[in-house]
Amino acid sequence: MQQLAVEMGVDRKTLHYHVENRATLLRMVAADAFREALRQHHFTPQDDWRDALRAFATITRDAVISAGAWASYVAMEKEEDLEAVRPAEAAARALVSAGLPENEAGRVIALLAELAYTSARDRAITGAGTHPQEPELEVALEAAPEGEFALVRRLVGAHSASLGSDEQFAFDLNLIMLGVEKLVADRHAAS
């Protein structure tokens, strides 16, 4: 807090008057980044459940990426923070309109939120490189008896699954969409 006060050119007491402590400061920074990412999307509710789910997942992931390491500090403190909920509401409504019961729509929204947060976290962990556990896995695989784990060795060596990448996020999202498509079709067949 002292260093921030010096950089801002204000007295530390003045800073503490507006910002109680480090945790409050982190929450403010994270919330600001999160809000800005949401504003940049200019969200418009989609009627088609596919478009609504993609919008929700993408907006959530982008906002978490923008908040970065401070994403866990984001809290709903202001009325404008509820804008983060609007894409989830639109996606849930679209799923219910498509024929899913509310509890299943809620589960789909929870799964997409988990995908968005995990993808954003993995992107932060890996940056432009590989996951920090990948070299450890490679060492362990080298120590394994020859002939075992051949496919995993090739996959790890080829870096085929770049965690946190846009390509992996799109693949994961498409896979979820196929599952939701099946749920919706099953509900229509049952009615």
Side-chain angles (χ1 to χ4, degrees):
M1 293 294 282
Q2 178 62 43
Q3 184 179 354
L4 180 60
V6 169
E7 287 182 29
M8 293 176 66
V10 299
D11 184 64
R12 184 176 176 160
K13 290 179 184 177
T14 303
L15 180 60
H16 272 288
Y17 177 78
H18 295 285
V19 181
E20 183 180 337
N21 54 34
R22 184 176 184 272
T24 303
L25 177 63
L26 289 173
R27 247 189 354 265
M28 291 170 67
V29 169
D32 189 53
F34 199 84
R35 285 184 207 114
E36 183 56 33
L38 291 171
R39 277 192 291 274
Q40 289 180 11
H41 274 281
H42 306 290
F43 174 70
T44 305
Q46 303 294 319
D47 291 329
D48 182 76
W49 66 264
R50 294 162 199 84
D51 295 335
L53 293 184
R54 286 187 190 286
F56 167 64
T58 302
I59 289 168
T60 302
R61 179 178 182 252
D62 289 351
V64 174
I65 287 170
S66 292
W70 303 300
S72 62
Y73 288 94
V74 173
M76 299 290 167
E77 298 178 331
K78 298 180 178 183
E79 188 175 330
E80 69 180 300
D81 293 338
L82 287 173
E83 288 305 308
V85 179
R86 200 169 303 285
E89 172 75 12
R93 283 185 183 278
L95 287 170
V96 170
S97 293
L100 289 187
E102 287 182 5
N103 67 328
E104 287 183 11
R107 289 179 174 164
V108 171
I109 298 305
L111 178 61
L112 289 173
E114 186 176 340
L115 168 63
Y117 277 87
T118 301
S119 178
R121 183 207 61 219
D122 288 344
R123 184 180 183 127
I125 289 171
T126 61
T130 60
H131 194 281
Q133 292 176 333
E134 194 168 318
E136 293 174 16
L137 176 58
E138 288 174 334
V139 169
L141 289 171
E142 286 173 15
E146 193 171 323
E148 287 190 32
F149 310 111
L151 182 55
V152 172
R153 289 176 199 248
R154 287 194 303 274
L155 291 172
V156 169
H159 305 285
S160 62
S162 180
L163 297 175
S165 69
D166 292 343
E167 295 81 12
Q168 185 66 44
F169 177 71
F171 179 85
D172 295 348
L173 184 55
N174 283 335
L175 201 55
I176 290 170
M177 299 295 276
L178 290 170
V180 174
E181 182 100 36
K182 174 81 168 104
L183 277 175
V184 170
D186 288 352
R187 288 296 177 193
H188 284 286
S191 53

